[in-house]
Amino acid sequence: MTNLHLIRHGPTHAKTMVGWSDLPADLSDHAALARLRAEVPNDAVLVASDLIRASATADAIATDQLRLPNQPQLREIHFGDWELKSFDDINSDDPDRVYEYFDSPGTAAPPNGENWISFSARINSAIDGLMAEYEGKDIIIVVHFGVIISQIQRAEACSPKHALRHAIDNRSLTQLSYAQGAWAV
C-alpha cells in the first residue's frame, strides 16, 4: 500500500485567483506547522510543487524525510488571463465562461489557461510517477488546493463538482491510500 499525505501550503492571504503566480506563504503559525510535522511519518519521502508557497511549506515541516526536488508538474491549475484577478472582476468581464468553469469543471478554461481535464491529467501523471517510484511507501506531497481536489476526485471516482465540495484549508492534511487498484480516502 502506498500512502499519500497531501498537505496544502501555508496561506498567501491573496483574495484573487492564484495559480502559477509565485506568491510566498505565510509560515508564521509555528504551532500549526508543528502539528503537521507531528502528523506525517519521518521515514516518508517529501516532495512539493516548485512554487515557493508549497516548497517553503515543505521545508518548514521537513524532519528526517528524504526531500525530493520540487516538481513543476505539481503546480496549481493555470488560471491564464484570470490570474491574480478577483472572482468579482472575472465575473463582471466574462460571466458566462466563469459560470461554466466553476459550475461544470471539465473542458471550459480561462483565456490562455488550463481546463480541469488537462490539469487533472497533468497531476495524475505526476502522482502516478511518484507512486511507481516509491511504491509501498509514505509520500508527503505539499501542493495546492486544486491538486488535492483532483486526487480526491480520482480516489472517490466522483465528478469534479462533487470533489470541489471538500474543504481544503491551508496547512491541512488529506490522506489517501492506494493498493491493488483501489483508493481509500
Side-chain angles (χ1 to χ4, degrees):
M1 177 182 314
T2 303
N3 297 307
L4 303 179
H5 306 268
L6 303 169
I7 295 174
R8 186 174 177 201
H9 59 76
T12 64
H13 304 299
K15 303 296 182 210
T16 59
M17 305 290 253
V18 181
W20 286 20
S21 293
D22 210 8
L23 301 183
D26 176 353
L27 300 175
S28 63
D29 189 340
H30 300 286
L33 295 171
R35 284 190 299 274
L36 272 176
R37 207 175 294 117
E39 288 294 320
V40 295
N42 286 333
D43 60 347
V45 296
L46 173 63
V47 65
S49 156
D50 70 331
L51 295 172
I52 192 71
R53 60 191 182 270
S55 62
T57 302
D59 292 342
I61 65 157
T63 57
D64 296 327
Q65 296 90 2
L66 170 63
R67 180 71 160 89
L68 302 177
N70 298 327
Q71 293 195 8
Q73 306 92 316
L74 293 172
R75 283 183 176 193
E76 180 63 281
I77 197 164
H78 188 352
F79 288 116
D81 294 350
W82 293 352
E83 186 73 15
L84 298 180
K85 291 185 179 179
S86 72
F87 179 85
D88 289 342
D89 288 341
I90 297 164
N91 191 41
S92 68
D93 292 343
D94 198 356
D96 293 337
R97 189 188 316 233
V98 78
Y99 176 79
E100 180 184 10
Y101 184 76
F102 286 105
D103 193 53
S104 55
T107 59
N112 300 307
E114 192 171 26
N115 69 42
W116 185 262
I117 293 170
S118 297
F119 166 71
S120 294
R122 170 171 58 84
I123 299 304
N124 290 349
S125 177
I127 299 287
D128 288 349
L130 288 166
M131 289 193 315
E133 188 169 351
Y134 299 99
E135 184 176 356
K137 296 191 184 267
D138 286 284
I139 307 170
I140 303 165
I141 307 171
V142 183
V143 285
H144 313 276
F145 174 83
V147 175
I148 297 169
I149 290 295
S150 75
Q151 295 312 289
I152 290 172
Q153 177 196 358
R154 177 159 77 154
E156 292 184 342
C158 64
S159 71
K161 188 173 180 177
H162 180 81
L164 282 163
R165 294 178 183 161
H166 287 271
I168 308 295
D169 295 327
N170 291 106
R171 297 179 308 260
S172 66
L173 172 62
T174 302
Q175 294 176 310
L176 307 176
S177 298
Y178 182 81
Q180 301 174 349
W183 288 94
V185 179

